[in-house]
Structures are given as C-alpha cells and as structure tokens.
Amino acid sequence: MLAAVRSAAVLGVDAYDVTVEVDANQGLPQWTIVGLPAASVKESRERVGSALLNSGFLVPPRRVTVNLAPADTAKAGTAFDLPIALAFLVATGQLAPHAVERRVFVGELGLDGALRPVRGVLPIARRVAAAGADALVVPPANVGEASLVRAAPLAAPATLAVLVAQLRAGGPLPAPRPAARAPSAPLDDPLDFADVVGQGAARRALEVAAAGGHNVSLIGPPGAGKTMLARRLPGILPPLSESEALEVTTVHSVAGILPPGGFAVTGRPFRAPHHSISAAGLIGGGSIPRPGEVSLAHHGVLFLDEMLEFPRHVLDGLRQPMEDGRVVIARAATSIAYPARFTLVGAMNPCPCGRAGDPTGACTCSAADVLRYRARLSGPLADRLDMHVSVGAVAVAALAGSAPAEPSAAIAARVARARAAQVERYRALRSVQCNAHATGRWLDTHGGVEPAARAVLAAAAERLALSARGYHRVLKVARTIADLDGEPNVGAPAVAEALRYRGGLHRRPEGAGATEGSLGRTAIPRWRSGRR
Ligand SMILES: Nc1ncnc2c1ncn2[C@@H]1O[C@H](COP(=O)(O)OP(=O)(O)O)[C@@H](O)[C@H]1O
Ligand SMILES: [Mg+2]
C-alpha cells in the first residue's frame, strides 16, 4: 500500500515542501530511499526501523521504497525520520491515512523512538505558515523557534509512540507546553570597556566602527589587549531590531546552533573562529551547504584573532561577502544565498615574533620576515578594512590600581545617537541603515561633504595612492565621525581623523618609546593599496 506524509526541507535560509511517499509491498525484504538522499538520510532507515520496533510497532518484512518528492533536489539531515516512520505505519495498515492528512511532520528519531531536534525549524515554520496546514509537528527541543512564527497549530510530542497514540485518538493534537527558557546565569565578567586601561586610540576607533558599521584591524604585540578590546565591541552596538533578530535566528536555526529550547537570538552575534578554520567553515558551503562563520556573524561581529595566521586563500574568501553582505554558493542546479552582513575585527601582531615597535627593541625579526608576514593580508582585503589601529602594550604600572575607564553604556549611548542620525539620512534607501552600507557615490553627493574636507581627501588620495574603494571608505568613516560629533556636514577634521586610520600599521604603537627596535631603520611600505 502507498502512503504519503507531508514534510519540509531547508535550502539556504528558506524551506520548501517535501512529500514523503512510502510503498510497502510483498517481495524480498529491503529498504530503498530515493529522491537524492545524502548519507544522513539513507541512514534514517536504521533509525526508523529500531524506533518503530522499540516503540511497539510491527515491522513486517516488506519491500519498502521511500521517495522524497520533489525527487530532483538533494536532501540532507535527519528531519525525514519522523515522516518516514509515519508513512511506513500508514503503508502497513497500522495508522489510518486521514490521521496524517493536512499535517506537516519533521523530526529525528532516536533508536528508542524519542523525537530529537533538527536544523532549520524556523524557516520550516515560516513555509508552513505560507502553505497552510492543520498542524506542524516538531521535536520538543524545537518548539521555541517554531513558535516565533504564527504558523499552523504546533505539536511537540516527546516520542513516536506518544504521537501515534494522539493521532489514533483523532481530534486536534495537544499543544506543546511553552518551552522553559533556562535561566541565564549572570556573567561573572560582563565585558565592559570600563575594564580596559588606556588604549584611547583603539577605544575611539571601536566607537567609530560601532557607530558606522566599519571594519577594523587592531595591530599590536601579544598581551596588549587586542582580544580584550574586540570582545567588548558587541556591547556598544545598538540592540538588534526585531526583524534583524529574526534574520539572525533563522541563520542560526539552519546551522543548528540555537541554544536548547531554540529561542530567538536577541543579542548581536560575536563569532571568533580559530585560524585553523577551512574556507567552507568561514564562508559557508561544503557538499551539504551550511552557513559559514560570516553568516553566523550576520548583524554582529566577526572577530579574526591572529588574523595573519589564517591561510590567505581562506581570508580572500571574505572579499565577496564583505562587498555584498551575503554569500552565494553555486550548485549544479541552484544557487544558495546566506546573509552575511557583519563588522570585521581583525587582530594581528606586527611581525612574526610580535614585538616590532617594542620600546625595548626586543624584536628579533628581519625586515624581510616582517614584509612576508604582512603580505599574508592581501591588498584587496586590507583595503576593505576601513580602519587600522595600533594597540601598544600598556605599562604594568598603569594597570595596577587604575581608576575604571569610561563604561560601555556611555559609549553605547553616543553610538546610538550616531546611528539614529544615519537611520534618518537613509530613510529613503532600502537596505541601507548605516554609513558602511551606503554607496560611496551616494555619500559623495548627498553626504554633506564640505569643500575643505574634499580638498583634504583629494590631496591624501594622491599621497596614499588610495584606490577608488579606499577613497569611498575614508569618506564613509569620516561621515561616521561627523555623526558621532552631531555634525550635519563632514568637515576637514573628520576626514583627517578618518585618514589617520588608513595607514595605521606603520606608526609607532601608542605608549611606546622612541625606538622601534630592529625596525627602526628599516623602511616598511604601507599596506599595498588594493586595486583588484
Ligand atoms: N589595556 C588593558 N587594560 C586592562 N587589562 C589589560 C589591558 N591589556 C591587556 N590586559 C590584560 O592582559 C590580558 C591579555 O590581553 P589580550 O586581549 O588577550 O591581549 P592580545 O589579544 O593583544 O594578545 C587581558 O585579559 C587583560 O587581563
Ligand atoms: Mg589575543
């Protein structure tokens, strides 16, 4: 007998309908799954068989064919376990066909028949809301994200046996208990800028970056506080809007990294992948496409600590998402897009030993070593980092007993004001909320750039051999500086400050003394200006 059960699958950040058909015939006992199943789907046969037996159902020896329709899109993941089990029960006469009609089922089955969480339930719920259904049945751990969308009535039984009993009983399925949110433990160490001693230049740069959505690199010796500074950036960013939070939660749902209970992400993401990450891990993709770190950092911060330790081809993959705000992964039949609008913060040592520019002259690297080291950051990528900031080590004497510095809340208030000015400016432009996302051309004509500012910029463009992109990026940073100052126009001082962030790698680190160690007499060129 032939049975069909509705389910759904995820492609990119959207879901589409899948019908799970099961045909259980007389013949040599065997299971076949068709419809482009990946290995994880093929294995569902073993899980489903055990789950059925251990839940007290019969698994008569039949020739079973499972078809996942539409048959021409690749299926991955474990969410078809539940619909396959139900369709098998219908096909073998253990469940009436009308019990599963107009209902959508997703869930992984444990060998004992328990319903386990799956990826992408949020986009699936959105799809069900659009397509219409009498019920959406999900594993209990996915209830939080499923209830973010007003989809069909939800059900979340704990096991296959419980679900089948409810389906046999007829009538609407019992609504799930609202998932309890685990009380979040108070952080012992809330990351606050008040803890950071000194580092005025880096603090200012991060404030500008937060206010306008600009990318920053922090360059300095180990232990100077680069990681400490970067981790405090999300705390001064404006809170996520509701629609932004839903976008972030969707990506995290698809990646299967929502916290237990599957609640919405409410804070700005902060992603700090290790430098051993693969290109697919950072950018996204793989044989079964997954969002990469750039997408998990959507609307938040992507922090690349020890940025020059990342393989260059991995770093260069950042260029396209940084430009477009999304990642497009081409597949034979389709292409998949993941959102990827993030603020990049890179931390790096100035040289392999990390002590270039140290006042004690302790650097042991040759000039050639240093050049080679810095060349790991390609020109085009360096060009996309709007601000390069030197972070010098703070003297230990300054750390002891120092008064707390300005707290994050005060900085966040200034950032919020600057953002409000930008929202006002870009009201008429869809998809632009902050200066970093505006086009340079638009800012050039509508950004209120004063003639004097333009003159400073033109002279510097010549001197620094700025690329067109570099020119526009300086303009955007300058616009943000003016916004922080509450200035309607961009004046020469704002441009001058923005220009100081362009070549920062080669200035003496803040707080450092007169000598530059072994680099003192060696001319090191600036980051190559990046023309692709
Ligand atoms: N400016 C600073 N103010 C307060 N503590 C600091 C500062 N710089 C460094 N530290 C201390 O040193 C530790 C190491 O800093 P870290 O951010 O890991 O340095 P880096 O990433 O530059 O190697 C921090 O956890 C902090 O305890
Ligand atoms: Mg560090």
Side-chain angles (χ1 to χ4, degrees), residues 221-228 303 305-306 347-349:
K226 303 182 295 295
T227 304
M228 184 182 189
F303 175 48
D305 208 354
E306 313 294 351
M348 51 195 99
N349 291 333

Side-chain angles (χ1 to χ4, degrees), residues 199-529:
Q199 306 298 15
R203 296 171 68 106
R204 166 71 177 174
L206 289 173
E207 177 174 339
V208 173
H214 308 291
N215 304 312
V216 193
S217 74
L218 303 172
I219 302 145
K226 303 182 295 295
T227 304
M228 184 182 189
L229 283 159
R231 289 198 175 276
R232 282 158 177 75
L233 179 58
I236 59 170
L237 289 170
L240 282 179
S241 73
E242 211 165 294
S243 68
E244 287 172 334
L246 204 57
E247 285 177 34
V248 175
T249 308
T250 301
V251 181
H252 287 222
S253 164
V254 168
I257 58 163
L258 284 179
F263 289 98
V265 177
T266 51
R268 300 250 169 206
F270 180 88
R271 304 291 303 181
H274 187 255
H275 54 69
S276 60
I277 195 170
S278 67
L282 185 63
I283 310 302
S287 59
I288 297 163
R290 292 269 170 78
E293 290 291 332
V294 294
S295 296
L296 301 178
H298 184 51
H299 289 316
V301 175
L302 178 66
F303 175 48
L304 301 183
D305 208 354
E306 313 294 351
M307 188 170 177
L308 298 185
E309 303 296 334
F310 286 71
R312 187 165 159 166
H313 76 276
V314 172
L315 284 185
D316 277 345
L318 290 168
R319 282 149 52 171
Q320 184 257 332
M322 286 174 80
E323 214 67 3
D324 303 340
R326 62 189 205 134
V327 172
V328 178
I329 295 159
R331 281 288 174 273
T334 57
S335 64
I336 299 167
Y338 294 116
R341 194 148 245 184
F342 55 88
T343 295
L344 179 66
V345 180
M348 51 195 99
N349 291 333
C351 66
C353 84
R355 291 187 294 265
D358 189 296
T360 61
C363 179
T364 55
C365 307
S366 72
D369 289 342
V370 175
L371 280 180
R372 227 184 348 266
Y373 190 67
R374 293 180 182 178
R376 291 193 197 173
L377 191 62
S378 72
L381 187 56
D383 209 24
R384 284 167 172 82
L385 290 167
D386 307 283
M387 310 166 73
H388 296 280
V389 188
S390 289
V391 183
V394 171
V396 174
L399 290 181
S402 60
E406 187 180 34
S408 291
I411 307 172
R414 289 195 297 272
V415 168
R417 269 199 305 279
R419 286 268 181 156
Q422 295 167 60
V423 167
E424 191 56 41
R425 175 173 314 122
Y426 302 119
R427 195 172 284 287
L429 304 177
R430 277 185 61 240
S431 86
V432 179
Q433 279 91 35
C434 60
N435 293 330
H437 303 158
T439 62
R441 198 194 214 2
W442 191 93
L443 264 187
D444 221 352
T445 37
H446 307 285
V449 186
E450 289 175 357
R454 219 179 279 279
V456 173
L457 191 48
E462 189 85 357
R463 187 162 36 86
L464 300 177
L466 283 183
S467 66
R469 183 191 298 116
Y471 174 89
H472 282 144
R473 284 188 175 254
V474 171
L475 198 57
K476 292 177 195 184
V477 173
R479 182 61 265 183
T480 301
I481 291 166
D483 284 334
L484 274 171
D485 292 343
E487 296 283 350
N489 291 332
V490 181
V495 168
E497 183 181 344
L499 281 168
R500 280 204 298 280
Y501 297 125
R502 282 301 297 181
L505 181 63
H506 309 295
R507 279 197 322 280
R508 192 161 295 142
E510 190 193 343
T515 71
E516 289 218 358
S518 60
L519 283 176
R521 284 160 303 279
T522 320
I524 304 279
R526 296 176 174 277
W527 292 118
R528 280 172 293 140
S529 71

